[in-house]
Amino acid sequence: MDRDKFFMERALRLAEKGVGSTSPNPMVGAVLVKDGEIIGEGFHKKAGEPHAEVLALKQAGERARGAELFVTLEPCSHYGRTPPCVQAIIKAGVTGVVAAMEDPNPLVSGRGIKMLEEAGIQVRVGVMEERARKLNEVFIKYITTKKPFVVGKIAQSLDGKIALSSGISRWITGEPARIRAHELRSRYDAVMVGIGTVLADDPLLTCRLPGREKDPVKIVVDSTLKIPVNARLFQDSGKVIIAATQKADRQKMRVLKELGADIIETESNGGDMVNLPQLFEILGTMGITGVLVEGGSRLLASLSKEELLDKLIIFVAPRLIGAEGLSSVGNLFVDELKKTPRFTIGSLEQIGEDIMLEAYKG
């Protein structure tokens, strides 16, 4: 088992190289081993390009016959943009496959394993499965529900404040935490904010990291279209989506469309509020697999009340702001502790002087 973990660890590290670039596909890494030696390896780089298993087989060439393949996800058995990996594995003469987990995709889900076993290949599944599932948590949610994985990101003080009473928030966290925040943007298809954040901060919502090929889609929840036409998020060629209600001003809507924005109109959900469950269903049909929500506090509260948050990432700075500061999450209107939304702590990491906490719904 230690041997399995050693090679699967390598496969997982390879898979991580595809972070932020494989959507809507999963991140996958593969390592081909023969006589204890790695003879081929690869990772999926981008949707439409060769899968990890095919790259590992190509690198190994004829040496692949009689080898064992370690792969982070069950090999695919269906035709998509590329041919099935299972056929390539069988043709290459591989005698054993170790997969971290079954593919949750209903088009695969055990079929690849069955085809390999019918071809006489020994298959083992479940090595380092928990880590493999975390790696592809976005893909798993999207492929099984057709809805995006939703992550709420907060940067706050020790006492849960995101800004002074004046609204000043730059900078609560240190530079290392802010760099990590941009890394997070690179991991998801879209970054979302409420109109209050746009009016207060006028953010760019871009991913300012060297080597980043594209920015995430920018989504603004703005029920009545208060967004200024000169907002900075319109200043580049990145895709902008504005979520409004069917009651929004039609003339302003036409102006925003002329600026290049896509407008999603939802039914009103309580007064003039955007219907958030409907919004995320629509985003799923657009192929958006993961959304990073960066505020504000009212939007995060609404998402929590609607049980739409899958995960929270909270950067905590070692400072106090006090009761007069702005809270990280708006009013949840809860009158009993047992009714408060609960999360499970996933991890803690120190980043510079700050702490990054991950927590999962439930």
Side-chain angles (χ1 to χ4, degrees):
M1 197 60 187
D2 288 342
R3 173 182 176 275
D4 286 354
K5 287 183 177 180
F6 177 84
F7 291 118
M8 190 61 74
E9 171 72 26
R10 175 59 184 166
L12 286 163
R13 288 185 178 275
L14 285 167
E16 289 170 356
K17 291 185 176 183
V19 66
S21 63
T22 64
S23 180
N25 289 354
M27 291 174 275
V28 182
V31 174
L32 206 57
V33 179
K34 191 171 186 178
D35 299 325
E37 177 190 355
I38 294 176
I39 59 171
E41 58 184 29
F43 68 96
H44 185 45
K45 297 178 181 178
K46 190 177 182 180
E49 294 191 6
H51 288 189
E53 302 95 316
V54 172
L55 292 171
L57 291 170
K58 183 178 180 180
Q59 191 177 97
E62 289 299 320
R63 297 181 69 192
R65 187 163 301 278
E68 187 174 27
L69 178 68
F70 290 81
V71 62
T72 58
L73 188 70
E74 173 187 358
C76 65
S77 57
H78 67 292
Y79 280 90
R81 297 189 192 181
T82 58
C85 292
V86 165
Q87 291 184 1
I89 293 167
I90 295 171
K91 184 178 179 181
V94 171
T95 56
V97 172
V98 180
M101 60 177 285
E102 280 192 16
D103 192 334
N105 186 344
L107 294 174
V108 183
S109 195
R111 293 180 180 87
I113 293 169
K114 184 178 179 182
M115 288 174 64
L116 291 169
E117 290 177 336
E118 287 176 348
I121 296 173
Q122 292 186 342
V123 181
R124 284 177 287 130
V125 182
V127 176
M128 302 185 75
E129 180 174 358
E130 183 177 347
R131 175 139 162 230
R133 294 185 71 85
K134 178 174 173 55
L135 177 69
N136 277 311
E137 60 191 11
V138 172
F139 171 76
I140 293 170
K141 164 83 180 288
Y142 180 75
I143 205 66
T144 55
T145 68
K146 296 304 177 185
K147 297 176 185 177
F149 188 87
V150 183
V151 181
K153 192 219 86 176
I154 299 170
Q156 66 175 44
S157 62
L158 286 171
D159 53 344
K161 307 300 180 181
I162 58 172
L164 301 176
S165 58
S166 62
I168 294 174
S169 61
R170 296 182 180 179
W171 297 102
I172 287 178
T173 55
E175 185 176 0
R178 298 198 296 274
I179 291 172
R180 178 63 66 88
H182 279 279
E183 290 174 358
L184 287 174
R185 285 184 183 178
S186 75
R187 289 176 172 265
Y188 300 98
D189 292 342
V191 57
M192 175 184 286
V193 295
I195 182 58
T197 298
V198 175
L199 295 175
D201 299 336
D202 195 17
L204 286 167
L205 300 181
T206 53
C207 176
R208 296 185 287 280
L209 290 177
R212 175 66 178 170
E213 291 184 5
K214 64 176 183 178
D215 287 315
V217 174
K218 294 173 274 193
I219 304 173
V220 180
V221 179
D222 181 11
S223 58
T224 57
L225 298 181
K226 295 178 181 177
I227 188 167
V229 294
N230 61 347
R232 292 203 302 162
L233 54 81
F234 293 122
Q235 291 179 7
D236 59 44
S237 59
K239 185 178 182 67
V240 177
I241 295 174
I242 301 175
T245 70
Q246 295 167 346
K247 298 179 181 180
D249 181 80
R250 315 314 288 184
Q251 175 60 29
K252 181 71 173 286
M253 196 175 290
R254 284 191 289 272
V255 171
L256 292 171
K257 287 180 178 179
E258 289 173 0
L259 287 173
D262 289 344
I263 310 293
I264 294 178
E265 297 179 60
T266 75
E267 301 168 357
S268 297
N269 187 10
D272 292 327
M273 303 297 290
V274 168
N275 185 312
L276 292 172
Q278 185 182 12
L279 170 60
F280 282 103
E281 287 181 7
I282 295 170
L283 293 175
T285 65
M286 296 171 68
I288 292 177
T289 65
V291 177
L292 180 68
V293 182
E294 296 198 357
S297 61
R298 289 180 61 190
L299 177 57
L300 287 168
S302 296
L303 291 169
S304 182
K305 285 187 287 187
E306 296 282 4
E307 298 186 348
L308 293 169
L309 288 173
D310 295 294
K311 180 178 178 179
L312 283 172
I313 297 178
I314 304 174
F315 293 91
V316 183
R319 66 175 77 229
L320 295 174
I321 290 179
E324 68 278 7
L326 303 180
S327 294
S328 57
V329 180
N331 202 329
L332 295 172
F333 300 101
V334 177
D335 57 6
E336 295 181 65
L337 280 174
K338 65 181 181 181
K339 295 179 182 178
T340 57
R342 290 189 62 85
F343 290 80
T344 301
I345 303 299
S347 66
L348 285 168
E349 179 184 351
Q350 183 155 359
I351 302 174
E353 294 183 343
D354 306 312
I355 295 292
M356 186 181 83
L357 179 152
E358 286 187 326
Y360 290 86
K361 182 172 67 176

